[in-house]
Amino acid sequence: MNLDELSRQKYGRSLAELDDATVYQLLMSVVSEKSAELPLNAGKKRLYYISAEFLIGKLLTNNLINLGLYDEAKQQLAEAGHDLNKVEENEVEPSLGNGGLGRLAACFIDSMATLGLPGDGVGLNYHFGLFHQKFVDNQQTTMPDGWLDREGWLRDENTSFTVEFGSFSVTSKLFSIDVLGYERPKKNRLRLFDLESIDDSLVPDNSIGFDKTELKKNLTLFLYPDDSDRNGQLLRVYQQYFMVSNAAQLIVKEAISRGCNLHDLAEYAVIQINDTHPTMVIPELIRILTEDHDIAFDEAVSIVRSMVAYTNHTILAEALEKWPLEFLEEVSPKIAAIIKKLDELTRAEFDDPAVQIIIDGKVHMAHLAIHYGYSINGVAALHTKILEESELKPFYDIYPEKFSNKTNGITFRRWLMGCNPELAVLLDTLLGTEWRHTGDVSGLLKFADDDEVLEQLAAIKDDAKQVMRDFLKFNQGAQVLDGSIVDVQVKRIHEYKRQQMLALYLIWKYLDIKNGNIPERPITVIFGGKAAPAYVIAQDIIHLILTLGEWIANDPDVAPYLQVIMIENYNVTAAERIIPAADISEQISLASKEASGTSNMKFMLNGAVTLCTIDGANVEIAELVGDDNIYTFGASSDEVVKLYADGSYNAHAYYLKPGIKLLVDFITNPQFMATGNAERLQRLHDDLTSKDWFMALLDLEEYIQEKELVYSDYEDRKLWLKKSLVNIAMAGKFSSDRTIAEYNDEIWHLQADK
Ligand code: 9GP
């Protein structure tokens, strides 16, 4: 590849003469042409990973890495005076996902391609994806994020299907994005269905409001459209059926083209459903097999049952979908009828009311997936244990063989080689390049006492902090304090993740500094995340964080030592700039509630030390790095489960503890309230003092103590650098290549292509 020559051919100018936007176009065309030439991973059996979200992030750097062109491109660009990071700023990040669930799906398709497994991601081509977050008056506002308007990686597959709803039908259009494996000669695809009759003009310029009843025109406009009313909920069911009907038609069509007679469909296709959103693929496949291909109902059920596997990503009731049967009857009477039949079959077999599919007029999608799939897995060891022993115990008692754990993972291409190239090069120097294929970086451990290596790690962290500073300055004009310790909590805003607990710590620290206790060095606390538009308390938490940030910045006694930054519109690109710079990874969910977490893995791999509750994959991180290299606090998952079971958590009693009352009441102190939105702050205060459903006050005192310990340990430079090194060295387990190999060995049984 000679970029200068290509530039002269294409634009009649040297590479050095191009602006960054044109360099981006040039690189994108090089990558697209190369990937278009690659054949697909082939094999008799294919996997279809169906997901409502694929948070793929920008693709240029990632694809250059996977094509083995990254170093070459970077060097040629540098010689011509260009910086790849700057060039990539011209790429628009597709907003096809929300949080960990969608990012996991993106890591998984990368790993499937890397392992040569024939399989594709299948989802929807949302025109505006998830909303774009903007802060106005220290509050979250939402704007449409029209990523599709601009040039991108989508390719038209020239394939369409008809999807019949109860009262109308629509035609779909299939697009795909190439998914390249790491240094692999073959590829997979992310296949995204769109609606032929979609109408972007339904969405006003500055608002995410639109007519939810215009179904023929709106089905693929937004990911997770507001569902606070009936029309919004119905729209989600329409979207889901549109997604799975297309997926099922695609699967059947492709299997037939490979010689399948449909009685043997399970030998040709396996489906992984990512959370419950795609569950209707089960009745849809049964419908297609019986209605279009004359297969008897019982046989169709057993075919489908042997080819669908379900991953559960949460125990939160709100995310375990239960749709009113009447919704399904409206969206697709045929699907509703099949679900009723399936429900009758399970009722005949099992007496226990807890395991029925239709309960009080609602269809429990997870129950449908467990009865009529062959596999269910959790996403971290603790999460799977909770599923088996409490949340889904009645199902585990019936089908112990269907349950397994698959601890999540992250792709090291994006989360190390791409976002932290300096660290990747240091690993090459110390370990050789084999880790790039195996994910095994444990060889680093033998350098734990090597001062030179520790100093190299420190220098890499400093450089990453500079990248972060530049990003925050460019993104939102934020100026990070010089020489500060960087302490980060980035994730969706949700009470169970307890951003409010970190905010209460910040109040404590603020008051402590006011009392004259000046920290050894400045502290920068960074938040990032979006709150669902209908989730009022989450918006209140954002407001508290932003108001507090402003309050502290305006106090000259404290501002030089403590700073709070909330990243606006946190997304994959922001994550890539922030995570390598972090010293401390905040993973402080209420134990039992975070199924796994994946940012915890990304931080660890980039040398941050984790401050966490014993929850999700934190448990496995703690086991790997040992007590000396992680900070844990808070009630255990068993204790929390018990508190919920006997209803004995009393938020008000915790609030009345003098040390806690002072902090919580700060939120409604009249001077502070006057700088923010009184209604929001009052509501959050009242919620914390009377309900505190996710028990932030329960763990607050221990959290404050542990945070102080972390900050003081940071001052022992060598000790800290060693902790950081051990974390990197032990992160190999969390490569998504390992996770996907486990899915394949234990669930999918695909033949890897050569
Ligand atoms: O909340 C979980 C998160 O803990 C997990 O890491 C991620 C990927 O498995 O899934 C999240 N779940 C959802 O976003 C919705 O179920």
Side-chain angles (χ1 to χ4, degrees):
M1 178 183 65
N2 182 333
L3 290 174
D4 188 56
E5 206 175 291
L6 288 169
S7 166
R8 288 173 197 278
Q9 278 166 17
K10 213 169 158 159
Y11 304 107
R13 279 175 288 156
S14 71
L15 185 60
E17 287 169 295
L18 299 189
D19 60 18
D20 281 349
T22 317
V23 176
Y24 171 70
Q25 292 301 334
L26 178 70
L27 280 172
M28 183 165 132
S29 63
V30 170
V31 170
S32 294
E33 276 162 32
K34 289 219 182 291
S35 65
E37 286 162 11
L38 299 180
L40 293 173
N41 283 304
K44 179 175 173 189
K45 187 169 172 182
R46 288 193 79 77
L47 166 76
Y48 296 85
Y49 192 91
I50 311 180
S51 175
E53 304 181 30
F54 286 94
L55 195 48
I56 52 180
K58 294 183 180 182
L59 293 177
L60 180 63
T61 298
N62 196 66
N63 286 353
L64 284 169
I65 291 174
N66 283 358
L67 286 170
L69 297 174
Y70 177 77
D71 291 335
E72 213 179 317
K74 204 170 164 176
Q75 195 185 332
Q76 291 186 26
L77 289 184
E79 282 163 10
H82 297 289
D83 170 354
L84 185 53
N85 274 353
K86 291 259 170 310
V87 168
E88 210 190 34
E89 275 164 18
N90 291 282
E91 179 170 354
V92 180
E93 179 177 326
S95 65
L96 296 170
N98 180 10
L101 174 88
R103 186 51 236 174
L104 185 79
C107 286
F108 278 6
I109 54 177
D110 180 284
S111 285
M112 279 152 48
T114 296
L115 297 181
L117 299 175
D120 295 328
V122 183
L124 294 181
N125 190 40
Y126 310 103
H127 286 221
F128 298 94
L130 196 74
F131 65 86
H132 183 100
Q133 177 192 56
K134 240 184 123 44
F135 298 139
V136 177
D137 294 335
N138 286 337
Q139 304 188 54
Q140 169 178 287
T141 63
T142 53
M143 312 253 291
D145 196 355
W147 70 281
L148 265 181
D149 290 348
R150 291 151 273 190
E151 204 132 341
W153 302 90
L154 284 174
R155 204 169 280 156
D156 189 340
E157 279 206 35
N158 294 315
T159 299
S160 285
F161 297 108
T162 302
V163 176
E164 275 182 39
F165 295 108
S167 52
F168 63 97
S169 61
V170 295
T171 307
S172 68
K173 219 171 141 40
L174 176 58
F175 293 92
S176 68
I177 296 177
D178 287 338
V179 179
L180 312 178
Y182 182 53
E183 298 187 347
R184 291 271 319 164
K186 297 190 181 174
K187 69 182 174 195
N188 290 330
R189 286 159 300 177
L190 170 57
R191 313 180 84 186
L192 300 172
F193 283 98
D194 207 338
L195 187 64
E196 202 172 53
S197 51
I198 192 80
D199 181 0
D200 288 18
S201 71
L202 278 187
V203 179
D205 272 354
N206 288 320
S207 154
I208 57 168
F210 64 102
D211 186 347
K212 292 182 199 150
T213 60
E214 284 272 14
L215 296 159
K216 278 190 188 170
K217 299 182 184 172
N218 69 17
L219 280 184
T220 51
L221 285 179
F222 283 100
L223 164 67
Y224 302 144
D226 168 40
D227 66 347
S228 55
D229 59 11
R230 186 178 190 276
N231 284 339
Q233 289 157 22
L234 252 179
L235 173 55
R236 288 204 185 187
V237 183
Y238 273 103
Q239 284 189 324
Q240 292 183 358
Y241 182 60
F242 179 71
M243 174 171 75
V244 301
S245 176
N246 277 301
Q249 294 185 64
L250 180 74
I251 291 166
V252 168
K253 180 180 157 192
E254 293 191 339
I256 291 173
S257 77
R258 292 199 305 285
C260 169
N261 64 28
L262 295 187
H263 297 277
D264 55 1
L265 184 59
E267 291 169 28
Y268 286 80
V270 53
I271 298 172
Q272 189 70 40
I273 60 179
N274 198 26
D275 243 7
T276 50
H277 317 112
T279 308
M280 276 185 282
V281 75
I282 292 171
E284 177 64 0
L285 269 174
I286 294 173
R287 182 193 70 75
I288 293 174
L289 293 178
T290 51
E291 211 176 273
D292 301 346
H293 299 278
D294 289 334
I295 292 180
F297 185 81
D298 289 351
E299 189 192 347
V301 171
S302 78
I303 292 171
V304 173
R305 191 179 247 158
S306 60
M307 58 182 284
V308 176
Y310 156 56
T311 304
N312 174 289
H313 294 267
T314 184
I315 62 163
L316 289 193
E318 68 190 35
L320 290 171
E321 293 173 303
K322 304 167 196 71
W323 293 120
L325 184 59
E326 49 160 326
F327 283 17
L328 299 189
E329 275 163 344
E330 180 172 335
V331 173
S332 169
K334 288 177 178 173
I335 291 303
I338 293 173
I339 291 176
K340 280 197 246 175
K341 260 176 130 171
L342 296 175
D343 176 61
E344 277 161 25
L345 287 175
T346 40
R347 266 174 209 282
E349 209 175 334
F350 308 108
D351 288 337
D352 183 355
V355 302
Q356 305 311 331
I357 294 170
I358 304 175
I359 303 172
D360 297 333
K362 292 200 167 155
V363 181
H364 288 235
M365 305 312 271
H367 298 188
L368 178 60
I370 300 171
H371 282 301
Y372 293 98
Y374 71 96
S375 158
I376 153 150
N377 72 280
V379 289
L382 175 66
H383 169 60
T384 303
K385 178 172 169 284
I386 293 172
L387 293 180
E388 292 176 354
E389 293 178 3
S390 58
E391 290 302 312
L392 295 175
K393 183 172 186 313
F395 290 93
Y396 183 62
D397 290 342
I398 301 175
Y399 308 115
E401 73 290 350
K402 288 192 190 184
F403 281 69
S404 74
N405 177 56
K406 301 285 169 284
T407 297
N408 282 340
I410 55 173
T411 164
F412 284 19
R413 269 75 64 189
R414 185 174 291 270
W415 298 111
L416 175 53
M417 299 177 208
C419 73
N420 203 341
E422 277 193 59
L423 180 55
V425 168
L426 177 65
L427 293 172
D428 288 345
T429 315
L430 300 174
L431 314 176
T433 54
E434 198 47 26
W435 68 270
R436 290 183 182 253
H437 292 277
T438 61
D440 182 2
V441 285
S442 61
L444 190 60
L445 272 187
K446 63 175 180 288
F447 300 96
D449 291 305
D450 183 325
D451 288 345
E452 204 182 315
V453 170
L454 294 178
E455 283 310 320
Q456 282 171 310
L457 281 180
I460 289 170
K461 187 62 80 183
D462 283 347
D463 289 351
K465 285 185 182 178
Q466 191 53 46
V467 172
M468 175 194 78
R469 296 167 74 88
D470 294 346
F471 172 79
L472 289 171
K473 187 98 213 316
F474 176 79
N475 195 49
Q476 58 198 84
Q479 187 77 50
V480 177
L481 288 172
D482 274 339
S484 59
I485 181 167
V486 175
D487 183 349
V488 189
Q489 187 181 25
V490 282
K491 42 189 82 251
R492 285 178 294 133
I493 310 296
H494 199 294
E495 287 163 278
Y496 88 80
K497 296 180 185 278
R498 299 199 295 189
Q499 283 93 352
Q500 69 277 28
M501 191 166 75
L502 177 47
L504 289 169
Y505 168 81
L506 287 166
I507 295 172
W508 181 87
K509 192 71 181 170
Y510 167 79
L511 296 172
D512 196 45
I513 296 173
K514 283 297 255 186
N515 283 334
N517 296 318
I518 305 297
E520 292 276 345
R521 78 178 61 240
I523 298 165
T524 299
V525 173
I526 297 179
F527 291 89
K530 296 180 183 177
Y535 188 178
V536 176
I537 292 281
Q539 322 258 349
D540 296 344
I541 293 172
I542 291 183
H543 181 59
L544 173 62
I545 293 167
L546 291 169
T547 310
L548 204 52
E550 188 177 288
W551 177 270
I552 292 171
N554 287 332
D555 187 330
D557 295 342
V558 182
Y561 314 110
L562 181 65
Q563 161 179 57
V564 183
I565 296 176
M566 175 123 196
I567 304 165
E568 192 168 53
N569 199 43
Y570 178 69
N571 58 9
V572 179
T573 309
E576 288 165 6
R577 303 285 179 264
I578 304 298
I579 289 172
D583 296 304
I584 301 168
S585 157
E586 299 271 351
Q587 308 296 337
I588 58 176
S589 52
L590 176 64
S592 79
K593 296 295 179 191
E594 188 70 89
S596 159
T598 42
S599 78
N600 44 5
M601 302 168 185
K602 295 165 198 164
F603 281 110
M604 174 193 191
L605 180 62
N606 284 278
V609 177
T610 312
L611 167 56
C612 65
T613 48
I614 301 294
D615 200 14
N618 302 343
V619 176
E620 287 154 78
I621 296 178
E623 279 166 12
L624 285 163
V625 300
D627 290 348
D628 291 345
N629 300 301
I630 193 164
Y631 295 86
T632 58
F633 70 95
S636 71
S637 130
D638 285 346
E639 285 161 348
V640 171
V641 169
K642 194 163 171 305
L643 285 174
Y644 278 117
D646 59 23
S648 60
Y649 177 63
N650 180 344
H652 200 72
Y654 278 90
Y655 162 65
L656 291 177
K657 289 178 152 195
I660 293 185
K661 188 165 185 307
L662 180 75
L663 308 181
V664 178
D665 286 349
F666 186 92
I667 301 175
T668 47
N669 133 1
Q671 270 173 307
F672 181 71
M673 273 235 271
T675 65
N677 175 311
E679 188 189 333
R680 285 201 180 281
L681 297 173
Q682 187 69 52
R683 182 171 43 228
L684 184 56
H685 177 273
D686 294 351
D687 190 274
L688 282 168
T689 55
S690 62
K691 202 161 84 187
D692 189 24
W693 183 247
F694 293 100
M695 305 180 190
L697 304 189
L698 172 74
D699 289 338
L700 180 59
E701 285 174 321
E702 245 192 84
Y703 178 51
I704 293 172
Q705 260 180 28
E706 200 67 17
K707 270 188 84 63
E708 289 300 292
L709 176 65
V710 177
Y711 289 155
S712 83
D713 280 4
Y714 182 84
E715 296 310 321
D716 185 338
R717 182 177 169 88
K718 181 149 183 209
L719 184 84
W720 186 268
L721 289 171
K722 193 170 163 179
K723 288 180 200 293
S724 171
L725 178 143
V726 172
N727 272 274
I728 301 168
M730 301 313 290
K733 169 175 179 184
F734 300 112
S735 160
S736 49
D737 297 352
R738 184 272 310 153
T739 315
I740 287 300
E742 285 179 13
Y743 272 92
N744 192 45
D745 290 349
E746 295 164 32
I747 302 178
W748 304 334
H749 308 297
L750 304 166
Q751 194 82 48
D753 201 347
K754 294 284 166 266

